[in-house]
Amino acid sequence: MNKRLKILIFLLAILSYGCNSSKNDQPLRIKNKSTYTFGNASPDGIGKFYLGREISQVMGSGGAAWLERDSRQQEENAEMAIEKMNLSKESVVADVGAGTGYYSFKIAKEVTAGKVYAVEIQDDFIRYLNDRKKALNTTNVELIKGTSRSTNLPENSVDLVMMADVYHELEYPVETLQSIKKALKPTGKVLLLEYRGEDSSLPIKPLHKTTIKQLNREMEANGFKLFYDGEFLPIQHFLIYKKR
């Protein structure tokens, strides 16, 4: 074999290795980028998508008055939602995305020997929660500053994590759900209250409504299984999930 032929074979071998290496690396690159996808943002979205659903913008503290509106009980029936949570006096509940504490302080009255973790990421809402806690002299509500990726809840500490019209706003739903999973006790559960995406007549912005099919898809992808589907609220789904 002459020298020129040996060089040619060597170069072909390097080229072949490079092509094969590129093919082998390709699935890894796709995997790392496939959790979330990005595109043009809708008027109320952030242009970030999870399993086909665009994540909505977060309601800021300017929406506090809307969260505390006098008509909310009539429109959403929070009293029934809390009744259906089947809490005991010793229950430990986390209200993730607590906002003004509309649910947190109501639940605190039910779990007199337990605790409510009011989890918030927005400083304005945290100040609001602190002021309200002092005004009501509530001792069993503990405030936790979360992040866009974590609830920062103690591990293995919570019986029920609830999110009231919050899940669709999570910037990092996968990471947040994993932090919730760690915080739940072995028999702990997750409650999602979400405006019904199946109802086109419901006067709620499209990205702030979610279908059961989509919620089940996302929760199952993160290791949760639908435990109870309660369709008794006026305009919201009442969906309880347990860990697989």
Side-chain angles (χ1 to χ4, degrees), residues 50-61:
Y50 180 51
L51 296 180
R53 174 186 63 86
E54 184 179 5
I55 296 169
S56 75
Q57 296 176 11
V58 175
M59 176 186 288
S61 57

Side-chain angles (χ1 to χ4, degrees), residues 70 112 163 183 231 233:
D70 294 335
T112 51
M163 287 181 271
E231 297 302 319
L233 296 177

Side-chain angles (χ1 to χ4, degrees), residues 11 13 18 25 58 62 97 103 151 156 161 202 215-216 223 229 240:
L11 290 174
D25 288 344
V58 175
Y103 270 96
T151 59
N156 193 34
V161 171
L202 191 62
L215 290 168
N216 285 348
D229 176 5
I240 295 179

Side-chain angles (χ1 to χ4, degrees), residues 30-80:
I30 292 174
K31 182 178 179 181
N32 289 341
K33 293 181 179 180
S34 64
T35 301
Y36 304 111
T37 56
F38 299 86
N40 294 328
S42 301
D44 197 42
I46 64 173
K48 181 177 181 180
F49 298 78
Y50 180 51
L51 296 180
R53 174 186 63 86
E54 184 179 5
I55 296 169
S56 75
Q57 296 176 11
V58 175
M59 176 186 288
S61 57
W66 187 80
L67 294 175
E68 293 293 328
R69 65 194 185 277
D70 294 335
S71 60
R72 186 170 180 181
Q73 168 58 28
Q74 181 180 355
E75 293 167 359
E76 300 181 4
N77 203 346
E79 291 178 2
M80 178 178 286

Side-chain angles (χ1 to χ4, degrees), residues 3-195:
K3 185 176 181 180
R4 180 177 293 179
L5 182 58
K6 288 181 179 180
I7 293 173
L8 179 60
I9 293 173
F10 178 73
L11 290 174
L12 288 172
I14 291 177
L15 180 61
S16 175
Y17 175 79
C19 292
N20 289 335
S21 176
S22 175
K23 289 179 180 178
N24 290 335
D25 288 344
Q26 187 69 13
L28 181 60
R29 289 199 296 270
I30 292 174
K31 182 178 179 181
N32 289 341
K33 293 181 179 180
S34 64
T35 301
Y36 304 111
T37 56
F38 299 86
N40 294 328
S42 301
D44 197 42
I46 64 173
K48 181 177 181 180
F49 298 78
Y50 180 51
L51 296 180
R53 174 186 63 86
E54 184 179 5
I55 296 169
S56 75
Q57 296 176 11
V58 175
M59 176 186 288
S61 57
W66 187 80
L67 294 175
E68 293 293 328
R69 65 194 185 277
D70 294 335
S71 60
R72 186 170 180 181
Q73 168 58 28
Q74 181 180 355
E75 293 167 359
E76 300 181 4
N77 203 346
E79 291 178 2
M80 178 178 286
I82 293 172
E83 179 184 341
K84 294 293 186 178
M85 292 178 194
N86 293 323
L87 303 173
S88 71
K89 292 183 178 181
E90 294 80 21
S91 293
V92 178
V93 181
D95 182 7
V96 174
T100 59
Y102 181 80
Y103 270 96
S104 298
F105 294 102
K106 287 180 172 63
I107 293 173
K109 295 177 181 179
E110 304 297 323
V111 295
T112 51
K115 178 184 287 189
V116 176
Y117 290 112
V119 182
E120 250 303 329
I121 67 173
Q122 299 185 60
D123 290 335
D124 286 344
F125 274 138
I126 288 176
R127 284 190 287 271
Y128 189 106
L129 288 164
N130 266 316
D131 291 343
R132 190 168 184 184
K133 178 180 177 180
K134 292 176 183 177
L136 295 174
N137 194 27
T138 303
T139 59
N140 63 337
V141 172
E142 180 177 333
L143 274 57
I144 292 183
K145 176 68 179 294
T147 71
S148 59
R149 291 178 170 85
S150 176
T151 59
N152 287 335
L153 287 163
E155 291 190 15
N156 193 34
S157 64
V158 182
D159 296 300
L160 179 70
V161 171
M162 67 156 294
M163 287 181 271
D165 307 320
V166 167
Y167 178 77
H168 58 271
E169 296 182 353
L170 297 179
E171 184 179 359
Y172 292 90
V174 173
E175 292 82 352
T176 301
L177 286 173
Q178 294 311 307
S179 78
I180 287 173
K181 186 184 293 185
K182 291 178 181 178
L184 288 173
K185 296 177 182 179
T187 58
K189 296 178 177 63
V190 178
L191 167 62
L192 298 183
L193 297 176
E194 286 283 316
Y195 293 119

